[in-house]
């Protein structure tokens, strides 16, 4: 599953997804603040902490009346934020906030839930490929959106060339039937499906393990909301962080029930696999989060990502990377006490 959702058109039906009063920037807050939070894909374990915050009452305890609007193909979270259709949304990867800056679309990242971007390259078991560097010169199936996202980084770092590109249509059949195939994927999605359907364990190469510097699964907020209601932003970020701590280290079943209610395609085994994968690879909780808490971001990481991508020609030189995010709502150690309570560590 590819998460490189770019700013563009949006189906008219999505623009009317709010069927109740929602907080508008500048509105006087009286009683619980009504919030619509748009995800970037159909409900799944990768959204589990947000569903846990809803199910366990962390949002309610913070004085927020939150509705989670699940995404899907064609859903454009930056567009929803720009039109005030939603108050918060998931930015799939580090390209999204920078694209927003380039388009002057009026929102930014306020927390990075995924410390590692879960993008992977996968192969069949084979002796001639034991690292990403070994894939140089070999055909690789990637989605169209990838060509303008992490592919330029692969070109710059590993010497990949565009003549290696083959089209990935999100159909696994070509990969399963070709033992020499290489394709992109999402850590908690394609590898599991390949193993289940193909009856073999693929080789999985997590790009972040090879230096890919991007965050992923951002909480994005409208600039006006940040300026006029920073207390609402802080409450939503803090409650979401607590939800993620609870989901990873407590009993995830309350969130999982809501996930399966929203997305009938979700199964217990797929959810369990995704949770285990997220924990095993430190996707949410690793690095700086040990001291700063889940959602942590840093100027250095953002600058590294922008420098890498501008050098690769993805973004123009001179783009103000600091307009893509704010550190005002993270790095405060929120949730560390809850983690200690749940894990005893």
């Amino acid at each position: 599953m590819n998460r490189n959702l770019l700013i563009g058109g949006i189906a008219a039906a999505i623009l009317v997804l709010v069927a109740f009063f929602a907080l508008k920037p500048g509105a006087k807050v009286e009683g619980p603040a009504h919030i619509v939070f748009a995800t970037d894909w159909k409900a799944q374990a990768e959204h589990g902490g947000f569903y846990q915050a809803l199910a366990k009452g962390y949002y309610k305890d913070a004085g927020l009346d939150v509705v989670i609007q699940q995404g899907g193909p064609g859903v454009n979270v930056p567009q929803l934020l720009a039109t005030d259709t939603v108050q918060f949304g998931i930015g799939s990867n580090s390209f999204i906030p920078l694209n927003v800056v380039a388009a002057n679309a009026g929102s930014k990242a306020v927390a990075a839930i995924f410390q590692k971007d879960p993008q992977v390259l996968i192969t069949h078991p084979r002796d001639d490929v034991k690292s990403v560097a070994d894939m140089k010169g070999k055909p690789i199936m990637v989605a169209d959106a990838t060509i303008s996202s992490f592919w330029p980084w692969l070109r710059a770092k590993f010497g990949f060339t565009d003549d290696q590109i083959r089209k990935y249509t999100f159909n696994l059949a070509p990969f399963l039937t070709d033992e020499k195939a290489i394709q992109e994927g999402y850590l908690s999605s394609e590898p599991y499906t390949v193993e289940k359907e193909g009856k073999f364990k693929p080789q999985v190469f997590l790009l972040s393990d090879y230096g890919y510097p991007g965050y992923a699964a951002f909480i994005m907020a409208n600039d006006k909301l940040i300026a006029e209601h920073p207390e609402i932003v802080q409450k939503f970020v803090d409650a979401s962080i607590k939800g993620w701590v609870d989901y990873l280290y407590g009993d995830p079943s309350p969130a999982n029930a809501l996930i399966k209610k929203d997305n009938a395609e979700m199964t217990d085994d797929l959810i369990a696999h995704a949770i285990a994968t997220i924990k095993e690879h430190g996707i949410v909780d690793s690095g700086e989060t040990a001291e700063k808490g889940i959602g942590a971001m840093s100027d250095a990481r953002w600058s590294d990502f922008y420098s890498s991508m501008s050098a690769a020609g993805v973004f123009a030189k001179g783009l103000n990377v600091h307009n893509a995010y704010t550190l005002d709502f993270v790095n405060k150690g929120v949730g560390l006490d809850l983690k200690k309570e749940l894990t005893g560590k």
Side-chain angles (χ1 to χ4, degrees):
M1 176 171 50
N2 188 278
R3 304 299 188 86
N4 299 314
L5 304 178
L6 305 178
I7 298 173
I10 182 169
I14 300 299
L15 292 176
V16 294
L17 63 88
V18 184
F20 60 92
F21 174 77
L23 177 70
K24 295 295 183 182
K28 184 178 180 181
V29 181
E30 296 180 353
H34 297 274
I35 298 296
V36 183
F37 174 60
T39 68
D40 57 345
W41 199 253
K42 297 176 183 179
Q44 55 190 318
E46 290 85 347
H47 305 148
F50 303 114
Y51 279 96
Q52 189 82 337
L54 183 62
K56 294 291 291 289
Y58 292 118
Y59 291 132
K60 182 178 180 181
D61 291 345
L64 304 178
D65 178 15
V66 174
V67 168
I68 297 177
Q69 174 64 39
Q70 70 169 334
V75 170
N76 188 313
V77 171
Q79 183 71 24
L80 293 172
L81 288 164
T83 57
D84 289 342
T85 306
V86 303
Q87 288 68 55
F88 297 94
I90 293 180
S92 302
N93 51 49
S94 292
F95 295 97
I96 300 298
L98 287 171
N99 284 336
V100 168
V101 173
N104 194 28
S107 63
K108 58 173 53 74
V110 295
I113 299 302
F114 286 5
Q115 296 298 295
K116 299 179 180 181
D117 191 315
Q119 292 289 346
V120 297
L121 293 174
I122 60 176
T123 76
H124 289 246
R126 51 193 292 186
D127 293 333
D128 62 330
V129 176
K130 294 302 179 184
S131 71
V132 172
D134 293 337
M135 300 177 193
K136 180 180 178 181
K138 296 177 174 61
I140 302 176
M141 291 184 283
V142 297
D144 290 342
T146 298
I147 296 171
S148 59
S149 57
F150 65 80
W151 184 261
W153 175 80
L154 290 168
R155 281 199 314 247
K157 187 171 180 67
F158 297 103
F160 285 18
T161 54
D162 289 349
D163 59 5
Q164 293 179 243
I165 294 173
R166 304 293 185 271
K167 191 176 182 65
Y168 175 43
T169 63
F170 304 97
N171 177 359
L172 286 175
F175 177 83
L176 291 173
T177 57
D178 182 358
E179 293 184 356
K180 294 296 184 181
I182 305 172
Q183 73 161 56
E184 70 164 280
Y186 209 66
L187 180 64
S188 52
S189 180
E190 278 89 348
Y192 176 77
T193 305
V194 166
E195 187 170 353
K196 190 172 183 179
E197 296 184 5
K199 309 303 181 186
F200 68 89
K201 192 175 183 66
Q203 295 187 135
V204 181
F205 303 89
L206 182 63
L207 297 188
S208 65
D209 287 344
Y210 290 85
Y212 185 59
Y215 295 112
F218 295 98
I219 298 176
M220 302 281 293
N222 182 286
D223 284 344
K224 290 183 180 179
L225 183 63
I226 293 170
E228 299 179 17
H229 292 294
E231 75 286 357
I232 297 296
V233 178
Q234 190 69 71
K235 288 177 179 179
F236 185 83
V237 170
D238 289 354
S240 297
I241 291 170
K242 292 174 184 176
W244 272 104
V245 172
D246 199 324
Y247 189 66
L248 293 177
Y249 301 112
D251 175 11
S253 60
N256 293 343
L258 294 183
I259 289 170
K260 289 187 290 184
K261 181 179 179 182
D262 275 359
N263 182 4
E265 297 177 356
M266 271 297 118
T267 60
D268 289 333
D269 62 324
L270 183 56
I271 291 174
H273 169 79
I275 293 172
T277 300
I278 288 169
K279 293 173 71 172
E280 177 187 353
H281 292 273
I283 298 300
V284 171
D285 196 6
S286 61
E288 292 183 317
T289 65
E291 296 183 356
K292 296 180 178 179
I294 286 173
M297 296 189 291
S298 71
D299 292 322
R301 278 278 301 269
W302 271 108
S303 294
D304 185 19
F305 181 82
Y306 171 66
S307 296
S308 297
M309 295 308 154
S310 60
V314 178
F315 294 109
K317 300 285 186 178
L319 189 69
N320 190 343
V321 64
H322 298 293
N323 286 341
Y325 67 97
T326 175
L327 304 181
D328 289 349
F329 306 102
V330 292
N331 303 341
K332 301 179 180 183
V334 172
L336 294 181
D337 55 345
L338 178 59
K339 179 181 177 181
K340 185 175 182 180
E341 177 185 331
L342 293 172
T343 65
K345 300 178 182 178

